[in-house]
Amino acid sequence: MGQLVQRQGSNWDAALAAAAVAAAPQQYLTFTLGGEMFAVAILNVKEIIEFGSLTEIPMTPPFIRGVINLRGAVVPVIDLACRFGGRAAEVARRTCIVIVELEEDEQKHDIGVMVDAVSEVLEIARADIEPPPTFGARIRADFISGMGKINGKFVIILNVAKALSASEIALLTTMGDPDAPNEGEP
Amino acid sequence: MDELTSVFIQESREQLAEMEAGLLVLEQAPDDPGNAELINGIFRAAHTVKGASGVIECHFIESFMHKVENVLDRLRNAEIGVSGELASLLLKCGDHLNTLIGVLEAGFDSPGEADRAIGDALLAELSARYIAPDTNGSKVPVAQQEEVLASGGGIVVTDSWHISVRFGRDVLRGGMDPLSFLRYLASLGEILAIETISDAMPSADTMDPESCYLGFEIRLQTRSSKADIERVFDFVREDCELRILPPNSKLADYLKLIEELPEDDMRLGEILVRCGALTQAELDAGLCEQKGFVPAAPAEHGEIAQSAQQIGEILVDNKVVHREVVDAAVGKQTRVSEKKAVEARLIRVQADKLDQLIDLVGEMVIAGASANLLARRSGRSELVESTSVLSRLVESIRDAALQLRMVQIGETFSRFNRVVRDVSKEIGKEIDLVIEGAETELDKSVVEKIGDPLMHLVRNAIDHGIEPTATRLQNGKDCRGRIGLNAYHDSGSVVIEVSDDGGGLPKEKIRRKALERGLIQPEQVLGDQDIINLIFEPGFSTAEQVTNISGRGVGMDVVRRNIQSLRGSIDVKSEEGSGTSFIIRLPLTLAIIDGFLVGIGHAAYVIPLDMVVECIELDRRGIDRNFLNLRGEVLPFIRLRELFALADAAPPRENVVVVQYAGQKAGIVVDQLMGEFQTVIKPLSSIFSRLHGIGGSTILGTGEVALILDVQALVQRAIRIEEKALASPPASSN
């Protein structure tokens, strides 16, 4: 698993490096989550939809809100605020689901991310991106790919490949599963 | 790679599999008199590969198969005898052919040095032992043949081909010279005798000098195949009547030839005698009999097979030839036309086109459900009626579409013949593979994915299951071990059993190993079945020495995971001393199932309908334990509301869905029963790959997502929860 994540991380870095070579400022989608501003690279974002009817999945950790029907495909929805250790997000008027496409184990899959509100698409130059702080962000450091400077403020640019890693989330779903310990030891 | 080549690769692999299957049977029972047809089948397969490789101009396969075919041809003509060694050698040739096909598939022009060396070595061995002229070839005429000869000359003893050709009237006008064909024919071998048939020549005044009236009866000695001889006449194939009888053809074939040709029977007979194809005695005997029993046997072309059968039956009645020989002969004649018919009945379709169709049908089912729902809401009876007709049709289309993907499991099973043969030889055990239920059908995607787990189980059975011969004899067992592969349908799922009659799983050893690996604690008390189930734990392997067949310790947990990913389950039953059997339960299809929709709170869930036995209302009186009395039977049940930890309170009325799986019954308590529902299975994201109890999802007519319950996993979960709750204070088991 650790190996896997690492490999994905390096893919991600490679992608970033490639972008840097292109020397063009990258576009980011910014959104708010629990009052804080976050950004994700726009290349990962497939679409943004209104928060609608959602089917809860029993026996899963609370940060998995459920699944939605996205034009015939069943897509899981993650509550990022809850994933980062906060409280479950309340559904409000501006709550949206950002559909993110990820590639893991050479398989593409879509994940919905529940956010409080979507703000705008911004260009952030490479020079304006600082490395993530080693601590203090109250978010696991490997979830952050960098800190973007916008109007003198920092926004957290998320490393979605890690924050939404399917294999890691799958592991987390086994917590509280009475069968789970049986996987390793009976 | 062009389409022709890819079709060739696929077809050759199929032919190769056929060849291999035949050779394996041959190797097992080289002396079986029924082998003639088998050898023919093998020859045909090899010949098809050779021919097709010529068409796509893949010369390295063509030249290799040419040699192999020569040996098979000799085998077919009983010039060499069947032996286990020959079959083994031919099997190796089959393997090499597979390598060559792989080379072609990879896009190389010729095989690598090493592969070529292997091929040359095989060919050298083949030619040295089986093609060498007149060595031991003549010494092994099949016993059956001798018998027949003794009983009246059913087979005409000649080592040469008989070719009978009548050129059409327009051959000369088409610019063809009959003589050039004969010259070319002579290049294939030696023409022993030739008779010109000029009976069709009219009197001089009505003769047209530009027409051809000639025919020839030819005896040819050659090593070429029938196809090669036919190819000589390729240019005039449309315009001539060509009949070719292979060496040692049956008398009946000659009689048929005589009968079919337009010339007078007696005269033609004489001609055949003159060119040495028949002896006078053979001819007399044959014609005489034929006249006596079928005075007016019609010899229309369309009835060839039929008339041949009649002659054949006479011969059989007279005990002149064996029934099999006649059947083979009749089969041979009808084969060509039949083969064409079979080809016409089958269409090759790309698998992804089928998948697309199934996807579309799935969408149609969902859309249909939504139309149905709206119609019912509108309350207009005509609309409801028409949508219900529509949904019935959709249901039939769904079934038909799914049927398209059903394939028999036999092909997967028969692969194991080879595996068992090779591996058991390698480790020096004698093992028979018994295959049952090969005609059981299941979804193609399931069949594809079940191969690897089955391979693992079979190899395990060979390596660990079956004891060494000495041990078997000591324990009073048959020295030959037996591995069984069985498939059958059972309440909406397919069951595949891999069983062996070996030593069974050694429980003490498993327990010891589990302790060593830290899988269990010394004070833990485990039932027999629990101990056996330990083999499914990751990193568990009991093989004391690691062999290259199995025992790398990645065994059974991978098998179990593969099967679970197919929404299936695996159980093991074992009795020490008498054997082990693995029982794999798989869903019939991965795409669409009939479901039973139930509601709990706001959410809807689907239970596979095949598992549902009945529904009853939950009688709350006096129930504080989770079981009820079902007509005198104790039925344990699960409260889904509790299991799913839903916050809202239960409604005043609850229902129990009684489900059955693998012979066990259980109840599932739900709020509402919402009836049958055609369920298109939408896979859940890989996020949920480790979530037990939810098998997948589907989309309801309203557009909402409903979850499909994995009943078996839910019951397991409930059992675990209860076990944990009862183990108080929590034992050190975990």
Side-chain angles (χ1 to χ4, degrees), chain A residues 53 55-60 64 67-69 72-74 76 78 109 111 166 169-171 173-174 176-179 181-186, chain B residues 519-520 524 534 537-538 605 643-644 682 684-692 694 697 699 703-705 707 714 716-717 720-721 724 733-734:
Chain A
S53 85
T55 303
E56 283 175 29
I57 306 226
M59 309 179 286
T60 51
I64 297 176
V67 287
I68 53 166
N69 170 12
V74 176
I78 304 291
H109 59 104
I111 291 186
I169 295 177
L171 263 185
T173 60
T174 60
D177 185 341
D179 290 345
N182 199 31
E183 296 266 303
E185 42 176 330
Chain B
L519 297 173
I520 53 171
Q524 209 168 333
L534 284 173
E537 296 307 323
Y605 296 92
L643 193 64
F644 290 172
K682 300 271 181 185
L684 277 175
S685 159
S686 51
I687 284 181
F688 304 111
S689 56
R690 283 164 176 263
L691 178 63
H692 300 298
I694 306 290
S697 61
I699 293 171
E704 269 173 62
V705 180
L707 301 174
L714 280 178
Q716 290 299 332
R717 194 182 175 101
R720 297 273 177 200
I721 288 178
K724 267 196 173 176
S733 68
N734 285 302

Side-chain angles (χ1 to χ4, degrees), chain B residues 47-61:
Chain B
H47 181 71
T48 310
V49 174
K50 190 195 98 173
S53 60
V55 170
I56 62 157
E57 294 183 341
C58 177
H59 297 299
F60 61 89
I61 291 183

Side-chain angles (χ1 to χ4, degrees), chain B residues 144-158:
Chain B
Q144 164 200 349
Q145 193 180 336
E146 280 181 327
E147 202 180 306
V148 170
L149 286 173
S151 63
I155 292 179
V156 176
V157 198
T158 158

Side-chain angles (χ1 to χ4, degrees), chain B residues 409-659:
Chain B
I409 198 164
E411 209 176 308
T412 312
F413 276 3
S414 51
R415 273 200 345 228
F416 290 104
N417 275 321
R418 184 71 196 275
V419 175
V420 170
R421 168 194 175 272
D422 286 357
V423 177
S424 56
K425 227 174 217 183
E426 193 179 315
I427 59 174
K429 291 180 186 174
E430 285 180 65
I431 297 173
D432 291 327
L433 180 70
V434 182
I435 291 176
E436 285 167 273
E439 68 291 334
T440 310
E441 287 190 330
L442 69 167
D443 197 281
K444 185 164 171 41
S445 47
V446 181
V447 169
E448 277 165 6
K449 288 178 189 144
I450 197 66
D452 284 350
L454 280 185
M455 180 72 81
H456 216 107
L457 292 177
V458 169
R459 280 170 166 262
N460 264 340
I462 299 168
D463 201 22
H464 308 314
I466 305 282
E467 320 92 318
T469 314
T471 320
R472 287 185 70 87
L473 288 174
Q474 221 167 45
N475 294 340
K477 284 185 186 177
D478 187 358
C479 64
R480 294 189 73 85
R482 178 186 171 284
I483 290 177
L485 280 172
N486 187 10
Y488 53 91
H489 287 255
D490 176 46
S491 61
S493 46
V494 177
V495 180
I496 301 174
E497 281 182 17
V498 181
S499 56
D500 64 63
D501 67 347
L505 294 169
K507 291 191 199 74
E508 249 334 289
K509 218 157 133 191
I510 291 173
R511 198 191 151 84
R512 222 169 42 231
K513 188 71 100 188
L515 275 175
E516 239 168 68
R517 303 265 154 118
L519 297 173
I520 53 171
Q521 303 301 316
E523 65 269 28
Q524 209 168 333
V525 180
L526 291 169
D528 283 356
Q529 193 61 40
D530 290 333
I531 293 176
I532 289 174
N533 285 340
L534 284 173
I535 60 167
F536 291 115
E537 296 307 323
F540 187 93
S541 176
T542 50
E544 237 129 62
Q545 75 211 97
V546 171
T547 65
N548 65 343
I549 295 154
S550 57
R552 270 157 299 206
V554 287
M556 298 307 295
D557 64 313
V558 178
V559 171
R560 183 171 68 169
R561 211 172 310 142
N562 282 344
I563 288 167
Q564 279 173 347
S565 72
L566 293 169
R567 297 195 296 114
S569 66
I570 179 165
D571 286 311
V572 53
K573 279 186 198 149
S574 173
E575 209 165 302
E576 230 160 308
S578 59
T580 311
S581 65
F582 288 91
I583 297 143
I584 301 169
R585 222 162 247 283
L586 292 168
L588 265 183
T589 163
L590 299 179
I592 306 176
I593 57 167
D594 280 316
F596 187 73
L597 203 59
V598 298
I600 303 150
H602 303 292
Y605 296 92
V606 177
I607 300 172
L609 190 64
D610 313 309
M611 293 186 162
V612 177
V613 182
E614 60 180 315
C615 301
I616 49 176
E617 196 179 327
L618 181 64
D619 184 4
R620 288 249 181 110
R621 279 168 303 167
I623 286 196
D624 54 351
R625 295 180 198 278
N626 286 350
F627 62 84
L628 55 81
N629 179 347
L630 179 72
R631 292 185 296 278
E633 221 178 300
V634 180
L635 183 77
F637 60 78
I638 303 169
R639 291 176 188 273
L640 274 194
R641 188 177 294 278
E642 271 173 28
L643 193 64
F644 290 172
L646 299 181
D648 52 349
R653 282 179 55 157
E654 284 180 296
N655 293 290
V656 181
V657 181
V658 180
V659 293

Side-chain angles (χ1 to χ4, degrees), chain B residues 53-103:
Chain B
S53 60
V55 170
I56 62 157
E57 294 183 341
C58 177
H59 297 299
F60 61 89
I61 291 183
E62 191 183 9
S63 60
F64 178 73
M65 286 313 287
H66 181 71
K67 296 266 172 54
V68 175
E69 190 193 342
N70 279 351
V71 173
L72 284 170
D73 194 33
R74 289 180 62 108
L75 188 64
R76 187 172 67 144
N77 296 331
E79 289 170 41
I80 47 176
V82 183
S83 69
E85 282 159 47
L86 176 59
S88 305
L89 188 57
L90 286 170
L91 275 173
K92 277 187 206 145
C93 291
D95 290 344
H96 185 65
L97 172 62
N98 197 22
T99 317
L100 292 181
I101 295 172
V103 168

